[in-house]
Amino acid sequence: MHELGMARSIAAIVEEHARGRPIKGVRVAIGPRACIERGALAFCWDIVTDKTVLAGATLGFIDAEGDTFTVRDFEIREEA
Amino acid sequence: MCGVCGCADPKSEVSMTNVDTGATQLLRASGQSLADAHAFAHAQGLPHDYLHDDQHAHSHDHHHAHDHSHYGHSHDHPHDHAHSHDHPHAHDHSHHGHSHDHDHVLEQRPAGNHVALEAAILGKNDAIAARNRGWFEGRGVLALNFVSSPGSGKTALLEATIKALKDQVAISVIEGDQMTTNDADRIRAAGAPAIQVNTGAGCHLEADMVAEAARALNPTPGSLLLIENVGNLVCPAMFDLGEAMKIAVISTTEGEDKPLKYPHMFRAVGIVIINKMDLAPHVGFDEAACRANIATVNPKAEIIEVSARTGANFGAWTARLQSLLAEAKARF
């Protein structure tokens, strides 16, 4: 279901907060009642971020309570 | 595209059709998500004050990421945490035993690289839904969100409801389907103004679509606004539209175990209407099992059995609807 739209929302939130800095990884907190299929979300994440400033950023999952569904944090990639 | 249900095909457009005037308005262009809707509203010259506020709600820096999740109505205040500072904890103010949820990730990585956020992913939808709810309550409009699988008889139920009550209360309808204006045409023929929202490949209605449709319908104070969601027992459970209550429709031909198969949806509703009771004897419907299954996932759900086609026990439903409306007016 709807994971592509969710992946877009996550990308939009991270892009807004990243303010142009390169992103290494993003972690989302997902509760058991959030109705989110992680495999589908990971699949959609790669599609959504392809050829964008978030390309190559990993998507990690953190177990949370109830219907939690939030972007927990993201990591900025160090420029060489 | 999604590979799961194709629900967000980038080629998909979302549109709204007023079946009284035949006017169609594009709500989202191809490839656009709710996150982009603000810019689109500008480009189209659409009314968009409810989108506009949201864009300015999170421009200040703040040292803490506050999680305002209250299980149901999460308030989206994504405080920007992007500047570097020497306070290495992400405080999770979960309302469950005050859990102090920090897994020391920040300490394990080079300082300044990790940005705590705790932003609700459905926050934009929830913010618009909250505004819808205020708009409805401020006008004393009772908005109800009807959810079910396709073919359970949602539209037939609404048609029969309109015919039974239209002389006593003003009723308007928002219809959600991927394609066609068939349902809105049926509602109009039954005697109520209707807006058809076509979600394209989308598998559910979202709050911004309801906001635009409600604005176009302009329901009168003290009236009923019936929202028929896209036929789908999965995704509509996640998207608050600002309704006073979700109501599930299940039909006797579907099998008694639907509530067990789709517990998220049945947990989210206040009332379950069992429709097509006239067919129950012909399809071997086990009423006791169906009631038990509903009670298993949602002990608080009220259950009303009707036949929208024959009108059997329909008075029980319309009486309950009128009592809900009286409660809404009393709060108004």
Side-chain angles (χ1 to χ4, degrees):
Chain A
M1 52 187 214
H2 56 247
E3 272 80 2
L4 189 57
M6 300 297 104
R8 281 208 187 98
S9 293
I10 296 166
I13 289 166
V14 175
E15 276 186 38
E16 181 182 335
H17 288 268
R19 297 192 294 227
R21 294 168 296 181
I23 301 300
K24 183 176 175 186
V26 177
R27 299 194 307 168
V28 292
I30 302 178
R33 282 169 52 181
C35 293
I36 294 296
E37 174 57 46
R38 296 178 186 205
L41 190 60
F43 177 84
C44 296
W45 176 253
D46 292 342
I47 293 170
V48 164
T49 56
D50 185 40
K51 298 188 179 87
T52 73
V53 295
L54 292 174
T58 60
L59 185 68
F61 302 110
I62 300 167
D63 291 327
E65 290 181 315
D67 59 0
T68 302
F69 187 39
T70 60
V71 178
R72 175 61 56 84
D73 54 19
F74 61 85
E75 192 181 358
I76 297 160
R77 195 172 64 224
E78 295 228 55
E79 295 289 80
Chain B
M1 188 69 187
C2 177
V4 179
C5 73
C7 68
D9 186 332
K11 291 193 179 74
S12 171
E13 290 181 346
V14 178
S15 65
M16 166 175 112
T17 302
N18 182 329
V19 291
D20 281 325
T21 63
T24 295
Q25 178 180 322
L26 203 56
L27 295 182
R28 288 187 204 169
S30 177
Q32 192 184 40
S33 68
L34 180 55
D36 310 317
H38 174 69
F40 181 69
H42 270 305
Q44 296 288 304
L46 301 178
H48 62 280
D49 50 331
Y50 62 95
L51 290 166
H52 207 273
D53 292 350
D54 204 44
Q55 296 293 318
H56 296 288
H58 45 71
S59 57
H60 58 286
D61 287 339
H62 199 287
H63 280 268
H64 299 285
H66 293 287
D67 181 4
H68 291 286
S69 173
H70 292 269
Y71 281 47
H73 301 288
S74 63
H75 304 278
D76 182 22
H77 300 293
H79 299 291
D80 198 333
H81 204 281
H83 57 124
S84 59
H85 55 79
D86 54 10
H87 185 59
H89 297 289
H91 292 283
D92 184 352
H93 293 278
S94 158
H95 287 231
H96 284 262
H98 218 83
S99 68
H100 206 67
D101 178 16
H102 56 104
D103 38 14
H104 303 285
V105 170
L106 289 160
E107 287 91 332
Q108 290 169 3
R109 301 187 187 199
N113 272 3
H114 226 84
V115 180
L117 210 55
E118 207 58 49
I121 291 159
L122 290 171
K124 282 199 165 73
N125 183 78
D126 290 345
I128 296 169
R131 240 164 301 183
N132 288 350
R133 185 166 283 112
W135 196 81
F136 296 141
E137 288 178 0
R139 292 180 165 220
V141 170
L142 177 65
L144 299 171
N145 179 3
F146 291 80
V147 293
S148 83
S149 51
S152 66
K154 285 189 300 303
T155 312
L157 181 89
L158 298 193
E159 286 175 310
T161 303
I162 291 161
K163 285 172 182 163
L165 294 181
K166 68 179 174 186
D167 294 333
Q168 298 157 59
V169 57
I171 303 175
S172 50
V173 177
I174 298 171
E175 282 287 343
D177 280 299
Q178 290 194 322
M179 300 283 172
T180 84
T181 58
N182 293 355
D183 283 0
D185 291 337
R186 282 172 61 183
I187 295 298
R188 183 166 176 254
I195 293 279
Q196 179 79 51
V197 175
N198 284 130
T199 57
C203 51
H204 54 266
L205 290 175
E206 294 183 21
D208 63 319
M209 304 174 194
V210 167
E212 288 290 354
R215 198 182 297 269
L217 281 168
N218 197 19
T220 54
S223 71
L224 266 176
L225 177 63
L226 308 178
I227 304 166
E228 182 179 336
N229 217 313
V230 178
N232 175 357
L233 280 173
V234 184
C235 314
M238 283 186 76
F239 291 86
D240 185 8
L241 305 179
E243 71 276 350
M245 184 191 281
K246 286 187 178 72
I247 297 178
V249 182
I250 181 174
S251 60
T252 57
T253 55
E254 292 174 49
E256 302 83 5
D257 56 353
K258 276 277 166 67
L260 301 180
K261 288 175 172 170
Y262 301 97
H264 295 285
M265 181 60 84
F266 285 89
R267 211 176 271 139
V269 304
I271 296 175
V272 178
I273 295 172
I274 305 177
N275 191 23
K276 307 189 188 178
M277 283 305 289
D278 52 317
L279 298 180
H282 307 291
V283 295
F285 178 69
D286 186 340
E287 181 190 327
C290 187
R291 283 178 169 271
N293 290 339
I294 294 166
T296 297
V297 298
N298 186 348
K300 291 180 182 166
E302 297 171 44
I303 299 171
I304 304 173
E305 295 167 336
V306 303
S307 168
R309 194 171 69 92
T310 67
N313 202 37
F314 210 73
W317 157 240
T318 53
R320 185 67 185 102
L321 194 50
Q322 285 183 304
S323 73
L324 285 171
L325 190 62
E327 289 168 28
K329 283 181 181 169
R331 283 196 299 269
F332 174 41

